[in-house]
Amino acid sequence: MAEPKKRVLSGMRPTGRLHLGNLHGALVNWVALQRRDDLDCFFFSADWHALTTGYADTSSIRTDEREMILDWLAAGLDPVRSTIFVQSAVPEHAELYLLFGMVTPTPWLERVPTYKEQQQELRDRDLGTHGFLGYPLLQAADIAAYRASLVPVGQDQVAHLELTREVLRRFNHLYGELFPEPQPLLTVVPKVIGIDGRKMSKSYGNSLWLGEEAESTKKKIMGATTDPARVRRQDKGNPENCGIFYLHQLYSSGERVREVDAGCRSAGIGCVDCKKWLLEGLLPAQAELRERRAAIAAKPRLVREIVEDGNGRARRAAGETLEKVREAMKLGPLDEEG
Ligand code: TRP
Ligand code: SF4
């Protein structure tokens, strides 16, 4: 018999349109994983997680979610190969979160580094909530609901995975071996720099959106920060200090990348030419994403149908797990003799 497929699970908070950092940092990897026949992939919109910091204004969650899922589909996530769903449509996550809460010591949550960091960063909101403290425990429930063993995430999520493993170990110890220990799948993530020279991030306002229009892409690229040491055309540069160079690595041929590297270091090429070369690869790639996105968006109920189908598949999978959990905790149905 063939080995049972390993489950892969990952999620994103619904924050609206995705940028090229999200595309190359996560989505490209998700698309590659769904093609593997030894894996069974689940990808979801973490709308409850969005509430942990954004509970005060919930008005845009569903529109942001639709934009995000359209981007997933445009990037090539395939709803037949992957189960695409919404966290809050699968209440089993909440049940498991509650049960995990019973066995998780509060200090385990207080010492997760993102807990204090985010409270510092988002000082304008009151994050002294139960829900915010529980963020990583909800994430543990997301993963455990599918008994997933592989979790493709960025380095920033490693501490959350560590907590997940600790909670699952404790559960398995108390009630019997039910959950595999999930491993983070840290893939080599290419560097994607925003147009201001900092890491591409929605909150910095320096992003290139997935499938962005040609005119605005051009404008952003032509105005983008380059190696700050190249003030004049004749100054030699270091491509490693320039976001344009990292985009060349994603959108230009190997030969072109070598040409840029040498030309930048010798001041043989200027930044304007270098940027025009980048657009030769970037614009067609963006056009293709834009067209795929528009074709999906043009079908009025398609996204909804995809998600409803995924929600059903996810509920069946999570439902099976929860039945086992209730049984293991002696919380199953009342028996006749009882
Ligand atoms: N915390 C993750 C992030 O901010 C999103 C997330 C929620 C997640 N639940 C998950 C990722 C479960 C992987 C598995 O990116
Ligand atoms: Fe950046 Fe290209 Fe200018 Fe070098 S030549 S600094 S890589 S834009």
Side-chain angles (χ1 to χ4, degrees):
M1 249 214 3
E3 288 269 315
K5 291 185 182 206
K6 280 191 179 170
R7 290 232 174 110
V8 174
L9 175 107
S10 196
M12 281 185 204
R13 281 169 291 166
T15 52
R17 295 198 65 169
L18 301 180
H19 54 62
L20 296 184
N22 304 126
L23 175 67
H24 297 286
L27 280 177
V28 165
N29 182 36
W30 290 9
V31 171
L33 291 167
Q34 79 178 353
R35 296 209 177 104
R36 281 175 49 180
D37 288 326
D38 58 328
L39 302 176
D40 186 14
C41 295
F42 292 78
F43 300 112
F44 72 101
S45 165
D47 58 343
W48 279 335
H49 275 108
L51 296 179
T52 61
T53 54
Y55 59 84
D57 179 7
T58 59
S59 55
S60 63
I61 289 188
R62 284 291 174 263
T63 45
D64 284 346
E65 184 167 80
R66 188 185 151 79
E67 296 292 331
M68 176 179 78
I69 292 174
L70 271 170
D71 281 341
W72 289 3
L73 298 167
L77 261 208
D78 173 353
V80 177
R81 295 196 76 95
S82 295
T83 300
I84 298 172
F85 69 100
V86 172
Q87 184 182 36
S88 66
V90 187
E92 284 79 2
H93 291 229
E95 183 179 350
L96 196 51
Y97 169 63
L98 177 142
L99 295 172
F100 284 171
M102 303 303 168
V103 306
T104 305
T106 317
W108 287 14
L109 293 170
E110 287 165 341
R111 66 167 194 241
V112 172
T114 45
Y115 182 60
K116 292 211 174 69
E117 280 164 22
Q118 288 250 60
Q119 279 184 331
Q120 292 288 321
E121 222 167 278
L122 304 172
R123 274 171 186 283
D124 54 323
R125 312 177 202 180
D126 178 4
L127 295 183
T129 57
H130 183 175
F132 185 66
L133 179 65
Y135 185 109
L137 199 58
L138 181 57
Q139 186 163 349
D142 298 336
I143 295 165
Y146 304 91
R147 283 165 289 164
S149 43
L150 296 172
V151 185
V153 285
Q155 189 63 40
D156 63 320
Q157 296 295 313
V158 168
H160 292 163
L161 262 291
E162 189 48 49
L163 177 93
T164 299
R165 276 198 297 274
E166 280 176 310
V167 172
L168 297 186
R169 244 177 256 147
R170 187 161 168 111
F171 184 99
N172 285 347
H173 173 74
L174 290 168
Y175 308 113
E177 290 290 322
L178 186 56
F179 297 110
E181 278 198 16
Q183 299 301 326
L185 248 183
L186 290 170
T187 36
V188 235
V189 173
K191 221 168 164 170
V192 182
I193 305 292
I195 56 172
D196 61 354
R198 294 188 287 172
K199 177 183 157 79
M200 192 175 287
S201 161
K202 184 163 192 163
S203 52
Y204 292 160
N206 65 1
S207 298
L208 295 161
W209 305 110
L210 196 141
E212 187 163 345
E213 295 291 339
E215 271 318 302
S216 58
T217 303
K218 259 189 231 168
K219 238 201 206 143
K220 285 182 182 177
I221 293 295
M222 296 317 292
T225 304
T226 60
D227 176 2
R230 280 202 91 175
V231 183
R232 285 171 302 259
R233 167 68 182 78
Q234 61 272 28
D235 295 334
K236 292 179 180 165
N238 180 354
E240 276 157 48
N241 297 333
C242 178
I244 299 296
F245 182 63
Y246 292 99
L247 288 169
H248 267 295
Q249 295 184 345
L250 294 165
Y251 292 97
S252 303
S253 66
E255 196 184 328
R256 192 34 68 84
V257 170
R258 284 188 293 277
E259 237 177 315
V260 167
D261 188 84
C264 179
R265 289 177 198 280
S266 64
I269 59 166
C271 292
V272 172
D273 292 322
C274 182
K275 288 175 166 182
K276 286 186 180 152
W277 282 348
L278 171 65
L279 292 171
E280 288 172 19
L282 179 59
L283 293 182
Q286 287 286 56
E288 198 184 318
L289 285 163
R290 188 163 63 245
E291 279 155 27
R292 284 164 64 170
R293 195 180 198 278
I296 301 159
K299 298 190 187 139
R301 284 173 305 277
L302 185 58
V303 172
R304 197 166 147 183
E305 281 165 10
I306 287 171
V307 169
E308 278 173 5
D309 174 66
N311 289 346
R313 281 152 63 183
R315 272 208 86 169
R316 280 191 293 281
E320 275 175 30
T321 304
L322 263 291
E323 247 175 63
K324 293 196 164 73
V325 168
R326 291 183 209 110
E327 205 176 299
M329 295 181 76
K330 311 293 176 219
L331 294 168
L334 206 61
D335 61 33
E336 295 301 329
E337 277 87 81

